[in-house]
Amino acid sequence: MNPATAPTTQEKTMDAVVLERRHEIQVRPVPAPAQVGPDEVRIAVHTVGICGSDVHYYTHGRIGPYVVEDPMVLGHEASGTVLEVGANVTHLAVGDRVCMEPGLPNPRSRAARLGMYNVDPDVRFWATPPVDGCLQPEVVHPADFTYELPDELSLEEGALIEPFAVAVHAVTKARISPGDVVAVVGAGTIGVLTAIAATASGASRVYISDVAPEKFAKLRAYPTVHPVDARERDLAEVVREATGGWGADVVFEASGNSRAFGSLWETPAPGGAVVLVGIPVEPVSLDVAAAQAREVRVETVFRYANAYPRAIELAASPSVDLAELISATYPFEQAVAAFERGAEARPGDVKIQIRVAGR
């Protein structure tokens, strides 16, 4: 997709949530999606979640090398209903409820052929400059990156599959075994979802820390998850006390805060794993000697690859309740207010969503 531009008088248009420039969002007409190709589907967008990256583009105008230089449609956490299918599509039908994976790799790239398409340098990801996102009534999307939702999941929960896929990918790379003790640094959306995914994957105890205890409210339904108020207790100290000085089998760094790395290597057990999920906005120091002394295995996570089917299955199971994580839902016309709330970063908010359908 091309960046959102003003339509000509001859083009069919639809309203979209457009980031015009830093600190300026408008709901205004953009060109409607093109015709459906043989391997694509047309989708009526129902719900779109606001991600921290969307908010960061709104407040800062850039994330690392990705700079908003032209107007861009926001949004990449989406669900909807299939309106039209291409001639070659057999696994989806009109009326199917779906969620959409927002990152499209070059299928012929070396990364894609190795199954690591998330690190393909040519990947085109919704709402990452210069690619438009999906906060508009309809999108045309490759059928191979469109997934039917089971009856157990609502469309609102379907829009949460995208961030949940990050958590599932992280837990998969962690290689959690039944009975493992897990620690999670940061109780933002990804941290909370990682704690839930780790619990559902067999962790016996999950200790999660944050400086805003209001964030723990959404985890009350999970008795194996133990909140740690980082203003009062150090996570590494709590974990050592709980494990007789041994440490956590797996530690997830999900805050992206450079200060979290100061005691990060004190938390894992010898032979344990540290999984870096949060992306720091500034360089961090890495205590290699401390990691070596415990022979800690270090894994890194960038989005996800081949995680959507597993995330959908897990979200539909009785052990996960994604609906509980939705803090507020705004109508499409109030999208600007939704982003303003996202920029406030209220401590109790986990996920803010915008309902596009049924306006």
Side-chain angles (χ1 to χ4, degrees):
M1 287 178 287
N2 295 321
T5 55
T8 67
T9 54
Q10 292 81 21
E11 288 178 310
K12 180 182 177 183
T13 65
M14 58 178 58
D15 283 347
V17 179
V18 180
L19 177 63
E20 305 287 0
R21 58 189 61 83
R22 183 183 176 192
H23 295 313
E24 183 183 344
I25 294 175
Q26 291 189 41
V27 179
R28 64 151 171 96
V30 299
Q35 287 186 319
V36 174
D39 300 307
E40 296 177 324
V41 290
R42 185 184 304 276
I43 301 159
V45 179
H46 184 275
T47 299
V48 178
I50 294 179
C51 175
S53 65
D54 293 316
V55 174
H56 204 79
Y57 283 125
Y58 172 48
T59 57
H60 291 76
R62 67 181 300 157
I63 298 176
Y66 300 104
V67 182
V68 179
E69 297 178 341
D70 297 293
M72 178 181 74
V73 178
L74 291 165
H76 64 261
E77 302 176 1
S79 67
T81 304
V82 175
L83 295 175
E84 181 184 357
V85 298
N88 296 337
V89 179
T90 58
H91 70 286
L92 295 170
V94 172
D96 284 349
R97 299 158 57 256
V98 295
C99 61
M100 298 83 88
E101 186 170 348
L104 305 179
N106 175 352
R108 292 176 294 278
S109 72
R110 184 169 182 175
R113 293 183 178 186
L114 289 171
M116 304 183 299
Y117 60 83
N118 54 318
V119 295
D120 175 10
D122 295 328
V123 69
R124 293 176 57 81
F125 200 90
W126 272 346
T128 301
V131 182
D132 278 337
C134 59
L135 257 169
Q136 57 188 41
E138 291 183 11
V139 294
V140 171
H141 201 59
D144 286 344
F145 289 83
T146 303
Y147 303 86
E148 186 176 3
L149 292 172
D151 293 340
E152 293 84 357
L153 292 178
S154 67
L155 284 163
E156 291 79 9
E157 291 170 303
L160 270 162
I161 293 298
E162 196 280 335
F164 194 47
V166 177
V168 169
H169 186 55
V171 167
T172 301
K173 294 197 76 172
R175 305 177 212 162
I176 288 178
S177 297
D180 274 354
V181 174
V182 169
V184 180
V185 182
T189 301
I190 297 300
V192 166
L193 288 169
T194 299
I196 292 171
T199 298
S201 300
S204 60
R205 287 174 286 164
V206 178
Y207 296 89
I208 183 169
S209 69
D210 203 283
V211 295
E214 297 92 340
K215 295 180 178 181
F216 301 139
K218 302 293 186 180
L219 290 167
R220 289 172 184 159
Y222 301 90
T224 58
V225 178
H226 305 278
V228 177
D229 187 339
R231 300 171 306 174
E232 300 176 356
R233 297 291 306 278
D234 179 69
L235 178 63
E237 178 185 340
V238 171
V239 169
R240 285 196 301 271
E241 288 181 1
T243 57
W246 183 246
D249 299 292
V250 178
V251 179
F252 295 95
E253 203 304 298
S255 73
N257 190 318
S258 58
R259 289 175 294 180
F261 284 77
S263 62
L264 185 64
W265 308 106
E266 301 172 15
T267 312
V274 170
V275 184
L276 305 179
V277 188
I279 301 178
V281 296
E282 55 191 37
V284 300
S285 60
L286 180 64
D287 191 340
V288 176
Q292 288 177 316
R294 286 181 166 85
E295 285 207 350
V296 171
R297 174 171 54 90
V298 179
E299 297 280 359
T300 59
V301 169
F302 184 66
R303 296 173 180 158
Y304 39 74
N306 305 303
Y308 256 65
R310 186 171 295 171
I312 291 169
E313 288 289 340
L314 190 59
S317 72
S319 57
V320 173
D321 182 7
L322 294 184
E324 180 63 24
L325 304 183
I326 301 170
S327 301
T329 302
Y330 285 74
F332 189 76
E333 293 80 3
Q334 296 179 23
V336 175
F339 274 91
E340 288 174 347
R341 175 166 173 175
E344 290 177 24
R346 299 182 186 179
D349 283 349
V350 176
K351 180 54 61 179
I352 299 168
Q353 294 185 331
I354 295 173
R355 180 162 296 164
V356 180
R359 299 188 285 138

